[in-house]
Amino acid sequence: MEKLVEKLGLYDILSIFLTGVIVLLITVFGFNLNELEEVNMILNSAYVIPVAYFVGVIFNECGNLIYRRLCRLLGKNILLEKVFKKSIKYNINSSSDLELDKLKNYFETYYPEIKTIDDRYQFCKQKCKPVSNNDQTIGAMARSFALFFILFGYFHMIWLLCVCDDICICLPILEFVVCLLLSIFFLFRYIRFAEKRYISIIRKFIYKYVI
Protein backbone atom coordinates (compact mmCIF):
# COMPACT_ATOMS: atom_id res chain seq x y z
CA MET A 1 0.00 0.00 0.00
CA GLU A 2 2.84 2.37 0.89
CA LYS A 3 4.53 1.63 -2.44
CA LEU A 4 1.27 2.38 -4.25
CA VAL A 5 0.94 5.72 -2.44
CA GLU A 6 4.53 6.65 -3.32
CA LYS A 7 3.98 5.67 -6.95
CA LEU A 8 0.78 7.65 -7.34
CA GLY A 9 1.98 10.73 -5.48
CA LEU A 10 0.12 13.41 -3.56
CA TYR A 11 -1.34 14.98 -6.70
CA ASP A 12 -3.03 11.77 -7.87
CA ILE A 13 -4.29 10.84 -4.41
CA LEU A 14 -5.79 14.19 -3.45
CA SER A 15 -6.63 16.06 -6.64
CA ILE A 16 -7.87 13.01 -8.55
CA PHE A 17 -8.79 10.07 -6.31
CA LEU A 18 -10.08 11.96 -3.26
CA THR A 19 -11.91 14.41 -5.50
CA GLY A 20 -13.46 11.47 -7.35
CA VAL A 21 -14.60 9.86 -4.10
CA ILE A 22 -16.29 13.05 -2.87
CA VAL A 23 -17.92 13.74 -6.24
CA LEU A 24 -19.10 10.14 -6.51
CA LEU A 25 -20.64 10.06 -3.02
CA ILE A 26 -22.41 13.41 -3.38
CA THR A 27 -23.81 12.39 -6.77
CA VAL A 28 -24.94 8.92 -5.65
CA PHE A 29 -26.70 10.06 -2.49
CA GLY A 30 -27.87 13.36 -3.99
CA PHE A 31 -29.77 11.60 -6.78
CA ASN A 32 -30.75 8.57 -4.62
CA LEU A 33 -28.69 6.28 -6.83
CA ASN A 34 -27.81 4.26 -3.74
CA GLU A 35 -31.29 2.71 -4.03
CA LEU A 36 -30.14 0.90 -7.16
CA GLU A 37 -28.72 -2.55 -6.49
CA GLU A 38 -26.00 -2.23 -9.16
CA VAL A 39 -24.73 1.03 -7.66
CA ASN A 40 -24.66 -0.45 -4.15
CA MET A 41 -22.65 -3.39 -5.44
CA ILE A 42 -20.02 -1.03 -6.85
CA LEU A 43 -19.91 1.10 -3.67
CA ASN A 44 -19.44 -1.96 -1.47
CA SER A 45 -16.73 -3.54 -3.62
CA ALA A 46 -13.18 -2.80 -4.70
CA TYR A 47 -14.55 -1.46 -8.01
CA VAL A 48 -15.31 1.82 -6.26
CA ILE A 49 -11.56 2.66 -6.29
CA PRO A 50 -11.07 2.71 -10.11
CA VAL A 51 -14.51 4.29 -10.58
CA ALA A 52 -13.70 7.11 -8.16
CA TYR A 53 -10.29 7.61 -9.78
CA PHE A 54 -11.88 7.73 -13.25
CA VAL A 55 -14.45 10.29 -12.07
CA GLY A 56 -11.64 12.40 -10.60
CA VAL A 57 -9.70 12.22 -13.86
CA ILE A 58 -12.76 13.36 -15.83
CA PHE A 59 -13.34 16.46 -13.69
CA ASN A 60 -9.63 17.26 -13.53
CA GLU A 61 -9.22 17.06 -17.31
CA CYS A 62 -12.49 18.88 -18.04
CA GLY A 63 -11.54 21.71 -15.70
CA ASN A 64 -8.13 21.99 -17.33
CA LEU A 65 -9.65 21.85 -20.81
CA ILE A 66 -12.17 24.60 -20.04
CA TYR A 67 -9.44 26.88 -18.72
CA ARG A 68 -7.20 26.25 -21.73
CA ARG A 69 -10.07 26.88 -24.14
CA LEU A 70 -10.85 30.13 -22.35
CA CYS A 71 -7.21 31.21 -22.56
CA ARG A 72 -7.12 30.33 -26.25
CA LEU A 73 -10.33 32.28 -26.84
CA LEU A 74 -8.92 35.35 -25.07
CA GLY A 75 -5.51 34.85 -26.65
CA LYS A 76 -3.62 34.86 -23.34
CA ASN A 77 -3.11 32.99 -20.08
CA ILE A 78 -5.32 35.08 -17.79
CA LEU A 79 -3.76 34.17 -14.45
CA LEU A 80 -0.20 34.30 -15.74
CA GLU A 81 -0.81 37.75 -17.24
CA LYS A 82 -2.12 38.89 -13.85
CA VAL A 83 0.97 37.60 -12.05
CA PHE A 84 3.29 39.41 -14.47
CA LYS A 85 1.53 42.74 -14.00
CA LYS A 86 3.40 45.30 -11.97
CA SER A 87 2.08 45.93 -8.49
CA ILE A 88 2.96 48.34 -5.71
CA LYS A 89 2.17 45.66 -3.14
CA TYR A 90 4.81 43.05 -2.47
CA ASN A 91 3.21 39.77 -1.47
CA ILE A 92 3.11 36.13 -2.44
CA ASN A 93 0.60 36.72 -5.25
CA SER A 94 2.16 39.74 -6.93
CA SER A 95 5.57 40.65 -8.28
CA SER A 96 7.43 43.84 -7.45
CA ASP A 97 8.46 46.33 -10.13
CA LEU A 98 12.11 45.51 -9.47
CA GLU A 99 11.60 41.77 -9.97
CA LEU A 100 9.67 42.19 -13.20
CA ASP A 101 12.14 44.73 -14.61
CA LYS A 102 15.08 42.45 -13.87
CA LEU A 103 13.32 39.46 -15.40
CA LYS A 104 12.36 41.45 -18.50
CA ASN A 105 15.93 42.72 -18.94
CA TYR A 106 17.30 39.21 -18.47
CA PHE A 107 15.21 37.77 -21.31
CA GLU A 108 15.79 40.75 -23.60
CA THR A 109 19.55 40.42 -23.07
CA TYR A 110 20.11 36.66 -23.12
CA TYR A 111 17.00 35.19 -24.75
CA PRO A 112 15.48 37.84 -27.05
CA GLU A 113 13.67 35.12 -29.03
CA ILE A 114 11.51 34.30 -25.97
CA LYS A 115 9.01 37.12 -26.05
CA THR A 116 5.62 35.96 -24.77
CA ILE A 117 4.79 35.76 -21.08
CA ASP A 118 3.72 32.14 -21.39
CA ASP A 119 7.02 31.13 -23.07
CA ARG A 120 9.03 32.99 -20.45
CA TYR A 121 7.14 31.27 -17.64
CA GLN A 122 7.67 27.84 -19.22
CA PHE A 123 11.39 28.63 -19.47
CA CYS A 124 11.46 29.57 -15.75
CA LYS A 125 9.52 26.42 -14.90
CA GLN A 126 11.98 24.17 -16.73
CA LYS A 127 14.91 25.77 -14.94
CA CYS A 128 13.31 25.90 -11.49
CA LYS A 129 10.92 23.05 -10.82
CA PRO A 130 8.95 23.58 -7.60
CA VAL A 131 10.06 21.55 -4.60
CA SER A 132 6.46 20.95 -3.53
CA ASN A 133 3.36 20.42 -5.66
CA ASN A 134 0.98 21.36 -2.84
CA ASP A 135 -0.23 24.53 -4.60
CA GLN A 136 -0.88 22.62 -7.82
CA THR A 137 -2.67 19.82 -5.94
CA ILE A 138 -4.94 22.13 -3.95
CA GLY A 139 -5.59 24.26 -7.03
CA ALA A 140 -6.54 21.22 -9.13
CA MET A 141 -8.95 20.01 -6.43
CA ALA A 142 -10.56 23.42 -6.19
CA ARG A 143 -10.92 23.66 -9.98
CA SER A 144 -12.64 20.24 -10.13
CA PHE A 145 -15.01 21.15 -7.29
CA ALA A 146 -15.84 24.49 -8.93
CA LEU A 147 -16.93 22.62 -12.06
CA PHE A 148 -18.72 19.87 -10.14
CA PHE A 149 -20.85 22.04 -7.85
CA ILE A 150 -22.22 24.22 -10.66
CA LEU A 151 -23.17 21.09 -12.63
CA PHE A 152 -24.55 19.27 -9.61
CA GLY A 153 -26.58 22.28 -8.47
CA TYR A 154 -28.17 22.76 -11.89
CA PHE A 155 -29.01 19.13 -12.64
CA HIS A 156 -30.13 18.39 -9.09
CA MET A 157 -32.47 21.38 -9.22
CA ILE A 158 -33.99 20.08 -12.47
CA TRP A 159 -34.21 16.56 -11.00
CA LEU A 160 -36.03 17.76 -7.87
CA LEU A 161 -38.53 19.79 -9.89
CA CYS A 162 -39.25 16.83 -12.17
CA VAL A 163 -39.33 14.02 -9.61
CA CYS A 164 -40.89 15.67 -6.56
CA ASP A 165 -44.34 16.99 -7.43
CA ASP A 166 -45.20 18.38 -4.00
CA ILE A 167 -41.87 20.12 -3.37
CA CYS A 168 -41.73 23.88 -2.85
CA ILE A 169 -40.02 25.50 -5.83
CA CYS A 170 -37.97 27.68 -3.49
CA LEU A 171 -36.04 24.68 -2.12
CA PRO A 172 -34.41 23.57 -5.42
CA ILE A 173 -33.63 27.17 -6.30
CA LEU A 174 -32.09 27.78 -2.87
CA GLU A 175 -30.01 24.62 -3.24
CA PHE A 176 -28.80 25.78 -6.67
CA VAL A 177 -27.78 29.16 -5.21
CA VAL A 178 -25.81 27.40 -2.45
CA CYS A 179 -24.07 25.20 -5.04
CA LEU A 180 -23.35 28.27 -7.15
CA LEU A 181 -21.74 30.01 -4.16
CA LEU A 182 -19.67 26.90 -3.45
CA SER A 183 -18.59 26.83 -7.07
CA ILE A 184 -17.52 30.48 -6.91
CA PHE A 185 -15.68 29.84 -3.63
CA PHE A 186 -13.68 26.98 -5.13
CA LEU A 187 -13.03 28.99 -8.30
CA PHE A 188 -11.43 31.80 -6.31
CA ARG A 189 -9.50 29.21 -4.34
CA TYR A 190 -8.16 27.74 -7.59
CA ILE A 191 -7.15 31.21 -8.80
CA ARG A 192 -5.32 31.98 -5.56
CA PHE A 193 -3.27 28.78 -5.54
CA ALA A 194 -2.54 28.94 -9.27
CA GLU A 195 -1.17 32.47 -8.89
CA LYS A 196 0.82 31.41 -5.84
CA ARG A 197 2.43 28.59 -7.84
CA TYR A 198 3.23 30.89 -10.76
CA ILE A 199 4.87 33.55 -8.62
CA SER A 200 6.88 31.05 -6.55
CA ILE A 201 8.44 29.58 -9.70
CA ILE A 202 9.15 33.00 -11.19
CA ARG A 203 10.72 34.31 -7.98
CA LYS A 204 12.82 31.19 -7.59
CA PHE A 205 14.16 31.70 -11.12
CA ILE A 206 14.85 35.40 -10.52
CA TYR A 207 16.83 34.88 -7.33
CA LYS A 208 18.70 31.87 -8.72
CA TYR A 209 19.64 33.06 -12.22
CA VAL A 210 18.89 36.79 -12.55
CA ILE A 211 19.93 38.47 -9.31
Side-chain angles (χ1 to χ4, degrees):
M1 187 66 181
E2 291 181 2
K3 289 183 179 179
L4 179 62
V5 170
E6 290 178 4
K7 200 169 185 179
L8 287 175
L10 185 66
Y11 183 86
D12 285 313
I13 294 171
L14 293 180
S15 67
I16 296 181
F17 178 68
L18 183 59
T19 300
V21 170
I22 295 172
V23 167
L24 189 63
L25 291 176
I26 293 176
T27 304
V28 166
F29 290 101
F31 288 95
N32 293 334
L33 297 176
N34 55 309
E35 296 178 358
L36 299 174
E37 185 179 347
E38 295 83 359
V39 175
N40 267 321
M41 285 178 61
I42 294 175
L43 291 177
N44 296 322
S45 68
Y47 289 112
V48 71
I49 296 175
V51 170
Y53 189 84
F54 181 67
V55 170
V57 167
I58 289 175
F59 276 92
N60 184 64
E61 291 300 321
C62 286
N64 187 43
L65 180 63
I66 290 172
Y67 178 72
R68 288 184 179 277
R69 291 283 183 180
L70 182 61
C71 290
R72 187 176 297 177
L73 184 66
L74 296 175
K76 61 181 179 180
N77 188 324
I78 313 164
L79 299 181
L80 198 56
E81 289 272 353
K82 184 180 176 183
V83 167
F84 269 85
K85 283 183 178 179
K86 292 188 178 183
S87 174
I88 297 173
K89 296 180 180 179
Y90 186 89
N91 55 57
I92 194 63
N93 288 331
S94 64
S95 302
S96 68
D97 291 355
L98 179 62
E99 287 176 333
L100 292 176
D101 286 339
K102 285 184 177 294
L103 185 64
K104 182 181 178 182
N105 292 335
Y106 176 85
F107 277 105
E108 288 178 350
T109 303
Y110 298 104
Y111 300 96
E113 69 278 6
I114 304 176
K115 297 180 179 180
T116 67
I117 288 176
D118 192 57
D119 289 339
R120 288 179 178 180
Y121 169 73
Q122 292 301 327
F123 183 88
C124 295
K125 186 179 176 182
Q126 288 177 1
K127 292 285 186 179
C128 299
K129 292 183 179 180
V131 178
S132 173
N133 287 324
N134 291 343
D135 294 334
Q136 184 182 17
T137 302
I138 297 172
M141 286 183 71
R143 184 181 60 200
S144 296
F145 284 137
L147 176 61
F148 167 71
F149 277 110
I150 189 66
L151 292 174
F152 176 81
Y154 175 76
F155 286 110
H156 198 255
M157 178 182 66
I158 300 298
W159 180 76
L160 285 175
L161 292 174
C162 294
V163 173
C164 306
D165 297 327
D166 56 343
I167 194 171
C168 175
I169 192 172
C170 295
L171 184 60
I173 295 175
L174 179 62
E175 184 186 273
F176 174 72
V177 171
V178 171
C179 288
L180 180 62
L181 292 175
L182 282 171
S183 181
I184 293 172
F185 166 76
F186 281 112
L187 178 61
F188 278 101
R189 188 169 174 80
Y190 162 67
I191 291 171
R192 182 161 67 91
F193 280 95
E195 290 178 352
K196 187 179 176 182
R197 176 177 168 80
Y198 286 151
I199 199 65
S200 65
I201 291 174
I202 293 168
R203 278 198 175 136
K204 188 177 179 181
F205 177 84
I206 290 173
Y207 289 103
K208 187 174 182 180
Y209 293 100
V210 180
I211 297 178

